[in-house]
Amino acid sequence: ISERTDLRIIDVEDLGMHYAEALHRWRDQLHSRWDDLATLGVTEELGRLWDFYLAYCEAAFLERHVSVAQIVLAKPRWRPDAVATRPW
């Protein structure tokens, strides 16, 4: 890569565990509203499919079979005081 660009990696953050937590919360919400699915036009079969999908995806992130990362690249003249990579 260095032969084609002068960009360099200045920060990498693995967000996989955050995704697992979000999927867990979405599944909890699905369960808490289960009795409302029919009034929303969602069949029980589709509800079960979503339940499985959310559980499967959460497990995949927890077991590190999949993940997602944020990678920040910068030019050599970039200075850390100009833009914070992680404002939190």
Side-chain angles (χ1 to χ4, degrees), residues 31-45:
H31 291 170
S32 73
R33 302 282 312 270
W34 194 263
D35 293 337
D36 300 331
L37 293 181
T39 60
L40 297 170
V42 177
T43 65
E44 185 174 344
E45 180 182 28

Side-chain angles (χ1 to χ4, degrees), residues 11 13 15 18 70 72 84-88:
D11 191 48
E13 184 175 5
L15 300 170
H18 298 287
Q70 175 178 287
V72 179
T85 57
R86 295 187 194 192
W88 52 93

Side-chain angles (χ1 to χ4, degrees), residues 20 23 54-65:
L23 289 156
L54 294 170
Y56 178 85
C57 291
E58 178 188 355
F61 279 103
L62 289 173
E63 292 297 319
R64 312 296 287 174
H65 289 288

